[in-house]
Amino acid sequence: MLKRLLPLALATFAVGTDSYVIAGLLPSIAEDLGVSTPAAGQLVTVFALVMAVSAPVTGALTSGLDRRSALLIALGLFVIGNVATALGTSYAMVMAARVATAVGAGTINSAASSTAAALAPPEQRGRALAFVLGGLTLATALGLPLGTLIGRADWHLTLWAVSGVGLLAAGGIAIGLPAVRLPAASLSDRLRPLKQGRVLALLAVTSSAFLGAYTLYTYIAPALREATGGHESLLILALLAWGVGTLAGNIAAGRLADRHDPARVLTGALASATLALALSPLATRALAPALVWAAVWGVTLGLVVVPQQHRLVALAPAATPVLLGLNSSALYVGIALGGGLGGLAQQGTGLDPAELGPVAAGVTALGLLWHLGTMRRPAAPAPTTPAGASADPEESTT
């Protein structure tokens, strides 16, 4: 099982590093491209938004392929997009390259998650999802700090490194992944669950959690300037603390979601995240408390995604690929809106990046209240399954 899941985790690691690393390089990118920091932050916003919107479309276009072929095509586009980003010399060129990269990245995330769910037996599905999602969280623990470190000399070098990781993941998938076939689903099939109120309610929780987090995280480098004194090595240390916390939260989430009610696990995560974000203006004034704060906040965010995936899979196991793809889109809608909200808050009200924490906490608190409301709602009928779909994703593995 580990041999099959490892290349999937490496692929999500490449995507995670690419998604998160721009935040650590934001000041350098803004200076090099001759734009403001909030404008550079929109590279994160547009990347996430394109991932969210394109994932259902590309998923439908590749649904007739086995998952290995779909992943290899997506990784090819992902690598080409990163190479184009590294070669970009203007804001417009870099933005266009990020759009192309995001199309490939969105396909990778949803295909990797659905493949993991298909390969794992039901009693191990939470841990399998956590392992593959661990590529994303490991990217925050290692990929983001290492990418920021590499980018100290030239931010373009980080994108070349990410391209290399993408190629390595493609090699592992080509060699180590079996030809997993899942029921084909058209675009209308993939969007049909959005007619279910229960599904929409769960996806809104995912979006709100990441909207709150990325209102601050997109601008984490300037937000930590007082704590780090502007020293990039100390910024990398803070990013490492946040990433290790996120990784620890993700590992714990897999076990907790298998043993306890995933909805209650999520309640604790969102409540803790709200408190951590509210305390950020105080915690980021000096390095020591900032490191502790970053680690704790990382744990709370790491606990979010796996319980949500678990709840969606339990809602309709036969629609697993579609629901996990929609959850991935919802996540990146939240990231995109968070980056946009953080930029608007700075430009519209003159807030310093370090003061974005209470805004982020307010958004997360609203998400928590919405989540508590979903726990009280009666279960809705399961989303309809495309014609010919099997009753369990495991039955589609070859």
Side-chain angles (χ1 to χ4, degrees):
M1 179 64 67
L2 179 63
K3 182 180 178 181
R4 292 179 172 185
L5 295 179
L6 189 58
L8 298 176
L10 185 60
T12 61
F13 174 79
V15 171
T17 301
D18 198 34
S19 302
Y20 302 137
V21 77
I22 296 297
L25 300 173
L26 216 55
S28 299
I29 293 174
E31 181 179 358
D32 189 46
L33 298 180
V35 298
S36 67
T37 298
Q42 300 318 301
L43 292 171
V44 177
T45 299
V46 171
F47 182 91
L49 187 60
V50 171
M51 282 188 69
V53 173
S54 68
V57 178
T58 56
L61 292 174
T62 60
S63 66
L65 302 174
D66 66 84
R67 295 301 83 194
R68 179 174 58 197
S69 298
L71 282 164
L72 290 175
I73 292 171
L75 280 164
L77 181 57
F78 174 81
V79 170
I80 291 171
N82 273 296
V83 169
T85 304
L87 295 174
T89 57
S90 69
Y91 184 72
M93 290 175 62
V94 170
M95 181 66 80
R98 296 303 288 167
V99 169
T101 307
V103 173
T107 307
I108 292 167
N109 275 350
S110 59
S113 294
S114 61
T115 302
L119 290 172
E123 68 274 9
Q124 297 180 14
R125 196 163 286 153
R127 276 167 282 184
L129 287 168
F131 184 82
V132 172
L133 185 66
L136 291 173
T137 51
L138 185 62
T140 67
L142 297 177
L144 175 55
L146 286 175
T148 305
L149 179 63
I150 295 170
R152 291 175 66 181
D154 185 345
W155 64 269
H156 298 85
L157 296 176
T158 299
L159 280 303
W160 285 110
V162 171
S163 300
V165 176
L167 286 174
L168 186 61
I173 287 170
I175 296 171
L177 191 70
V180 177
R181 288 194 175 275
L182 298 174
S186 66
L187 181 59
S188 61
D189 290 329
R190 290 176 176 273
L191 297 180
R192 188 173 295 123
L194 295 178
K195 298 179 181 178
Q196 300 284 338
R198 181 68 171 171
V199 172
L200 277 174
L202 293 181
L203 295 179
V205 173
T206 298
S207 291
S208 62
F210 281 84
L211 194 164
Y214 273 76
T215 296
L216 174 60
Y217 185 75
T218 304
Y219 306 95
I220 193 66
L224 290 173
R225 188 174 291 121
E226 183 177 358
T228 62
H231 297 292
E232 290 186 346
S233 57
L234 296 181
L235 172 62
I236 292 169
L237 182 62
L239 294 176
L240 182 62
W242 188 84
V244 169
T246 307
L247 180 61
N250 175 255
I251 293 171
R255 297 184 180 276
L256 290 171
D258 281 339
R259 298 177 182 176
H260 304 284
D261 180 1
R264 296 190 180 279
V265 175
L266 187 60
T267 299
L270 292 176
S272 301
T274 300
L275 180 60
L277 288 166
L279 293 174
S280 63
L282 297 175
T284 56
R285 291 180 179 177
L287 182 62
L291 293 177
V292 175
W293 167 80
V296 171
W297 179 32
V299 170
T300 67
L301 191 61
L303 285 167
V304 170
V305 178
V306 172
Q308 283 293 87
Q309 289 181 321
H310 216 282
R311 296 171 78 191
L312 287 164
V313 171
L315 186 63
T320 289
V322 173
L323 293 174
L324 292 184
L326 290 173
N327 193 59
S328 179
S329 291
L331 186 155
Y332 282 98
V333 165
I335 292 176
L337 294 176
L341 178 60
L344 288 174
Q346 292 174 76
Q347 294 182 322
T349 66
L351 283 178
D352 186 87
E355 299 172 331
L356 291 173
V359 178
V363 173
T364 306
L366 291 175
L368 172 60
L369 293 175
W370 178 261
H371 162 65
L372 293 174
T374 67
M375 292 176 65
R376 298 189 182 97
R377 295 181 186 179
T384 55
T385 306
S390 63
D392 193 303
E394 289 178 303
E395 296 176 7
S396 301
T397 305
T398 60

